[in-house]
Amino acid sequence: MMMRRQISFVFLVLPCLGLVALSFCLGFVSAASSVPLPNKLTWHYYKVHNTCDEAEIYVRHQVQLLWDKDKTITPKLLRLLYSDCFVTGCDASVLLDGPNSEKTAPQNYGLGGFVFIDKVKSVLEQRCPGVVSCADILNLAARDAVHLAGAPSYPVLTGRRDGLTSSKSSVDLPSPSISWQAALTYFKSRGLDVLDMTTLLGAHSMGQTHCRYIVDRLYNFNNTGKPDPSMERSLLSDMRKLCPPRTKKGQSDPLVYLNPGFGANHTFTESYYSRVLSHKAVLRIDQQLLYGDDTKEITKEFAAGFEDFRKSFALSINRMAAYQVLTGNKGEIRKNCRIPNKK
């Protein structure tokens, strides 16, 4: 019960006190003091500075139009935001094209949502030319899409600028087959803690993954020639039907839902945590949440309380979105999210 009260309090103070308030409220998490500061980001930045008063409304409208047609936009945008922020910071570098750009890295295989961001950017360039950054558009669009799927409509601090370069060599996103300890080390390197990690992984209540990322669990876990013993037997059987062994080059790589039974609905729910507790997580990193004391405790809390998860998600995604942002004179405001401005 203690964690539930703490989360509720932090959520209430977020709009007025910002991210710094977290360090006083998440006392049981040792890394909470590493809360990344918002680096001059501002709530309603474009309205406050009178540069594009309706920027957030324009983004929200475009998200609503697409979400009504294609609800897969929610997990696509969340993955796109993660792939951007966790590499060189939330600077929209993942959106840049190029033969060796971040989007060409193996870890970003299957990344989507680029065309939609282009659409939103074109609308904003018509309304407010050269004002709203691609980095802010991605953060706002992800917020609005996940809200439509069932998450809270959390406040997004804005005022980010766009990065100038993008390189696949900078992409160090970890494998989804790592241990919870390795995952936590990676999250901590981005200024995030165990509560953030356990919370943000809950986005796997939506979306799909390619079979290539789970075949090791199905057939040759840790090179044993056997399946992962932590995977529930009926899930193992179902996944094997969808993902045959990869035995030849050029073999198809089907998509499977990260949250079988709920995934096709593309809704933001606590069902992910119930699946972890039942040993029915598709990705190894998700199932690994059972094996850390803190991650297991948080998983139980979220499985039992959807509101706790929703409120924690609002906090953790804001912390992630503040990682190494560009503000002031750093970076630029791209006119086209795919290419840097011409000098």
Side-chain angles (χ1 to χ4, degrees), residues 275-289:
R275 293 190 66 86
V276 171
L277 293 173
S278 300
H279 292 272
K280 292 183 178 181
V282 173
L283 295 176
R284 185 194 180 209
I285 181 53
D286 295 337
Q287 195 57 66
Q288 280 281 301
L289 295 182

Side-chain angles (χ1 to χ4, degrees), residues 15 38 52 54-55 60 76 102 117 126 129 139 165 187 210 319-320 332:
C52 191
E54 307 301 322
R60 189 176 306 120
K76 288 176 181 176
E102 290 174 28
I117 295 298
Q126 292 173 12
N139 274 273
T165 61
F187 272 72
H210 284 274
R319 283 161 56 87
M320 181 185 78
E332 64 181 9

